[in-house]
Amino acid sequence: MDWLQLLVFPAIRALILIFVLLTGFAYLTWYERKLLARFQVRYGPNRAGKFGLLQPAADAVKAFFKEEIIPNHVDKPVYLLAPALALVPALIIWAVIPIAKGTPAIADVNIGFLWILAVAGIESYGIILAGWSSNNNYSLLGALRSSAQMVSYELPLGLFLVSILMLAGSFSLVDLVEGSRQWWEWIWLWLAFPFFFICILAETNRSPFDLPETENELVAGFQTEYGGMKFALFFIAEYVNMISTSAIMATLFFGGWKGPFAEQYIWLGPVYLLIKVLILLFLFIWVRASIGRPRYDQLMKFCWQFMLPLGLVYVSISAVLAVFLK
Amino acid sequence: MQLPLGIEVPIPTFEQFVFIQVALLTAVAGLAVVISRNLFHSALALTLTFFGVAGVYVFLEAEFLAVSQVLVYVGAIAMLIAFAIMLTRSMMYGRTSPLNNQWGKSSLFAFLFFIGLLAFARATPWPAAGEEVVADEALIGALGREFVTTYVIAFEVLGLLLLLALVGAVMLARDR
């Protein structure tokens, strides 16, 4: 049956994926709070359940029962659309990430790389729309800053992606993970990882690049006028984005689902991917706990005067390597 | 499917079903661009239209083109338009009329353009449905090769143009 094959099965897969990601989000907040507490010599959440493990559930219930406030001065349709638009790219980017041998999360399309770039390109819409529709100067400023930041850092990000793509020789992420790489390729890739990670930090608006929501100058940036579940959606979007980008980095730089015996036992693939994602998420939180926020002009200068030239140099050397050594 | 009164309703296949949705989305969003009284809403509707066009590309089995469309038009061009509006207009207002005093002339030219497109579409020999499509991976490679062989001059000129625009932007933004 056409309909069953094309609609029902993918829909079930997508639902499972969304469920897993949202649960992941809930426990990522717990993971982050616990880790930050350790960094700051505190206990962190420890009241709800053992080790505070029920804290995310309590937070979810709280968000659900908050009053839905829609200020009078907002542009209603756009205001309501924005939180949803912020979450969608974070979820759909998973479509092309391979989670086990020969198994992508949703579809093995041979445009995986471009898919990542395209989804990164539409990620800033939720924030722009939120900032504009809130009809508030702080929101608008936050949105402008954030989208300028995301658009700028997309450039070096795209350059690094193009380099990886040239060396891999295939647009498909499934092929990328399953194909073999020579030792010098790994070293060359890992050289780029710190810079790629910086771009990802800026793309996900994570500390130290969380300028869109600098509370001391912009109240809460683009989400100032949002409360209750709508605020929670922005929050979910940020954290799901962290998970998604960690999965992408694990796939591009650290072999994705690969690990000992993952070829024989398919179920080990997702486990290895999860472990790698957890380690990368630790990196996100570590950075947040240790590095202060730069000024906005420093942030942009760093992108245009350092990251972009570096990306260009990296692309040219990768091209030479791809032509002469592969 | 048989309805009362003997009306025959064909059950659409899955592809037709999705195509109808994509086509409707494109057309309705396109209409919204033109008739919306709020410039920012028009810009958003334009973004939706770009998405719809990308959907049509997917139906033509040109996934590469579809994703490029999203990347370039939705990710960059529509974003630029949104930025321009946000930076130049006061936030909400501009409930402007979509018509100005040139609407007569422009609708005439739009109509002529439509006629031209229609004639062009009718004159083009479209390949019959069901023909074998080149595998996408090979297609991307072929596309790249064409760029550096057959269309190399156009490609280089475009690159030069973009470089000029980039240099111009840097000159404008530089501290004096």
PDB file of all heavy atoms in Angstrom, chain B residues 162-174:
ATOM      1  N   LEU B 162      29.641  38.563  -7.295  1.00  0.00           N
ATOM      2  CA  LEU B 162      29.445  38.368  -5.864  1.00  0.00           C
ATOM      3  C   LEU B 162      30.631  38.913  -5.091  1.00  0.00           C
ATOM      4  O   LEU B 162      30.469  39.516  -4.029  1.00  0.00           O
ATOM      5  CB  LEU B 162      29.238  36.884  -5.554  1.00  0.00           C
ATOM      6  CG  LEU B 162      27.884  36.351  -5.986  1.00  0.00           C
ATOM      7  CD1 LEU B 162      27.804  34.867  -5.763  1.00  0.00           C
ATOM      8  CD2 LEU B 162      26.781  37.045  -5.208  1.00  0.00           C
ATOM      9  N   LEU B 163      31.824  38.729  -5.644  1.00  0.00           N
ATOM     10  CA  LEU B 163      33.025  39.232  -4.974  1.00  0.00           C
ATOM     11  C   LEU B 163      32.964  40.753  -4.876  1.00  0.00           C
ATOM     12  O   LEU B 163      33.263  41.342  -3.831  1.00  0.00           O
ATOM     13  CB  LEU B 163      34.271  38.794  -5.740  1.00  0.00           C
ATOM     14  CG  LEU B 163      35.581  39.191  -5.080  1.00  0.00           C
ATOM     15  CD1 LEU B 163      35.793  38.385  -3.827  1.00  0.00           C
ATOM     16  CD2 LEU B 163      36.742  39.003  -6.034  1.00  0.00           C
ATOM     17  N   LEU B 164      32.525  41.383  -5.981  1.00  0.00           N
ATOM     18  CA  LEU B 164      32.398  42.842  -5.983  1.00  0.00           C
ATOM     19  C   LEU B 164      31.417  43.281  -4.914  1.00  0.00           C
ATOM     20  O   LEU B 164      31.677  44.233  -4.168  1.00  0.00           O
ATOM     21  CB  LEU B 164      31.920  43.328  -7.358  1.00  0.00           C
ATOM     22  CG  LEU B 164      32.994  43.471  -8.415  1.00  0.00           C
ATOM     23  CD1 LEU B 164      32.375  43.917  -9.719  1.00  0.00           C
ATOM     24  CD2 LEU B 164      34.024  44.496  -7.958  1.00  0.00           C
ATOM     25  N   ALA B 165      30.276  42.580  -4.839  1.00  0.00           N
ATOM     26  CA  ALA B 165      29.273  42.930  -3.837  1.00  0.00           C
ATOM     27  C   ALA B 165      29.865  42.804  -2.437  1.00  0.00           C
ATOM     28  O   ALA B 165      29.656  43.661  -1.568  1.00  0.00           O
ATOM     29  CB  ALA B 165      28.063  42.018  -3.975  1.00  0.00           C
ATOM     30  N   LEU B 166      30.654  41.756  -2.237  1.00  0.00           N
ATOM     31  CA  LEU B 166      31.262  41.512  -0.929  1.00  0.00           C
ATOM     32  C   LEU B 166      32.227  42.638  -0.581  1.00  0.00           C
ATOM     33  O   LEU B 166      32.191  43.199   0.522  1.00  0.00           O
ATOM     34  CB  LEU B 166      31.989  40.170  -0.966  1.00  0.00           C
ATOM     35  CG  LEU B 166      32.351  39.562   0.370  1.00  0.00           C
ATOM     36  CD1 LEU B 166      31.101  39.165   1.106  1.00  0.00           C
ATOM     37  CD2 LEU B 166      33.229  38.350   0.164  1.00  0.00           C
ATOM     38  N   VAL B 167      33.087  42.986  -1.552  1.00  0.00           N
ATOM     39  CA  VAL B 167      34.056  44.059  -1.313  1.00  0.00           C
ATOM     40  C   VAL B 167      33.315  45.360  -1.030  1.00  0.00           C
ATOM     41  O   VAL B 167      33.665  46.123  -0.111  1.00  0.00           O
ATOM     42  CB  VAL B 167      35.001  44.201  -2.520  1.00  0.00           C
ATOM     43  CG1 VAL B 167      35.870  45.428  -2.368  1.00  0.00           C
ATOM     44  CG2 VAL B 167      35.850  42.965  -2.668  1.00  0.00           C
ATOM     45  N   GLY B 168      32.255  45.614  -1.792  1.00  0.00           N
ATOM     46  CA  GLY B 168      31.459  46.820  -1.562  1.00  0.00           C
ATOM     47  C   GLY B 168      30.900  46.869  -0.167  1.00  0.00           C
ATOM     48  O   GLY B 168      30.952  47.900   0.516  1.00  0.00           O
ATOM     49  N   ALA B 169      30.371  45.706   0.290  1.00  0.00           N
ATOM     50  CA  ALA B 169      29.797  45.660   1.630  1.00  0.00           C
ATOM     51  C   ALA B 169      30.859  45.943   2.679  1.00  0.00           C
ATOM     52  O   ALA B 169      30.631  46.689   3.640  1.00  0.00           O
ATOM     53  CB  ALA B 169      29.159  44.293   1.868  1.00  0.00           C
ATOM     54  N   VAL B 170      32.042  45.380   2.485  1.00  0.00           N
ATOM     55  CA  VAL B 170      33.122  45.599   3.449  1.00  0.00           C
ATOM     56  C   VAL B 170      33.510  47.075   3.464  1.00  0.00           C
ATOM     57  O   VAL B 170      33.707  47.687   4.517  1.00  0.00           O
ATOM     58  CB  VAL B 170      34.342  44.713   3.102  1.00  0.00           C
ATOM     59  CG1 VAL B 170      35.533  45.106   3.947  1.00  0.00           C
ATOM     60  CG2 VAL B 170      33.997  43.255   3.327  1.00  0.00           C
ATOM     61  N   MET B 171      33.579  47.689   2.269  1.00  0.00           N
ATOM     62  CA  MET B 171      33.923  49.105   2.188  1.00  0.00           C
ATOM     63  C   MET B 171      32.905  49.948   2.941  1.00  0.00           C
ATOM     64  O   MET B 171      33.254  50.892   3.652  1.00  0.00           O
ATOM     65  CB  MET B 171      33.960  49.562   0.726  1.00  0.00           C
ATOM     66  CG  MET B 171      35.184  49.126  -0.045  1.00  0.00           C
ATOM     67  SD  MET B 171      36.695  49.720   0.687  1.00  0.00           S
ATOM     68  CE  MET B 171      36.587  51.453   0.238  1.00  0.00           C
ATOM     69  N   LEU B 172      31.600  49.618   2.780  1.00  0.00           N
ATOM     70  CA  LEU B 172      30.554  50.401   3.432  1.00  0.00           C
ATOM     71  C   LEU B 172      30.619  50.242   4.950  1.00  0.00           C
ATOM     72  O   LEU B 172      30.370  51.185   5.693  1.00  0.00           O
ATOM     73  CB  LEU B 172      29.178  49.946   2.939  1.00  0.00           C
ATOM     74  CG  LEU B 172      28.768  50.424   1.565  1.00  0.00           C
ATOM     75  CD1 LEU B 172      27.435  49.828   1.182  1.00  0.00           C
ATOM     76  CD2 LEU B 172      28.681  51.938   1.554  1.00  0.00           C
ATOM     77  N   ALA B 173      30.956  49.028   5.399  1.00  0.00           N
ATOM     78  CA  ALA B 173      30.888  48.742   6.827  1.00  0.00           C
ATOM     79  C   ALA B 173      32.155  49.138   7.562  1.00  0.00           C
ATOM     80  O   ALA B 173      32.186  49.123   8.780  1.00  0.00           O
ATOM     81  CB  ALA B 173      30.619  47.260   7.033  1.00  0.00           C
ATOM     82  N   ARG B 174      33.217  49.512   6.818  1.00  0.00           N
ATOM     83  CA  ARG B 174      34.510  49.757   7.436  1.00  0.00           C
ATOM     84  C   ARG B 174      34.479  51.001   8.327  1.00  0.00           C
ATOM     85  O   ARG B 174      33.786  51.969   8.028  1.00  0.00           O
ATOM     86  CB  ARG B 174      35.556  49.948   6.339  1.00  0.00           C
ATOM     87  CG  ARG B 174      36.954  49.600   6.744  1.00  0.00           C
ATOM     88  CD  ARG B 174      37.843  49.714   5.554  1.00  0.00           C
ATOM     89  NE  ARG B 174      37.670  51.021   4.888  1.00  0.00           N
ATOM     90  CZ  ARG B 174      38.612  51.572   4.147  1.00  0.00           C
ATOM     91  NH1 ARG B 174      39.740  50.968   3.938  1.00  0.00           N
ATOM     92  NH2 ARG B 174      38.394  52.744   3.563  1.00  0.00           N
TER      93      ARG B 174
END
